[in-house]
Amino acid sequence: MRARFLADAKALGIDLADATTIPAKLDPSAWPGVPAVFAGLVGALPKELA
C-alpha cells in the first residue's frame, strides 16, 4: 500500500522528500465551518442550541 502511494505521488510529480511540496500550515479561512454547513443543509439551529 505504501509503495503504491509513493509511486502514485511520483507519477503526479509530487516529491514527498521536498519540504516545499507540503504547506507548513494549512489555512482554514476558506472553510465555512460546521454551523454554516449545517444551516445550509438543515436550516438554522433552534435558539436554545445555538
Side-chain angles (χ1 to χ4, degrees):
M1 188 99 164
R2 178 175 163 78
R4 181 175 173 211
F5 173 78
L6 295 174
D8 287 347
K10 186 175 182 179
L12 291 171
I14 299 171
D15 181 7
L16 296 174
D18 181 6
T20 61
T21 299
I22 301 169
K25 183 177 180 183
L26 298 176
D27 181 15
S29 64
W31 293 86
V34 173
V37 172
F38 185 86
L41 292 173
V42 180
L45 283 171
K47 289 188 188 272
E48 59 270 6
L49 295 177

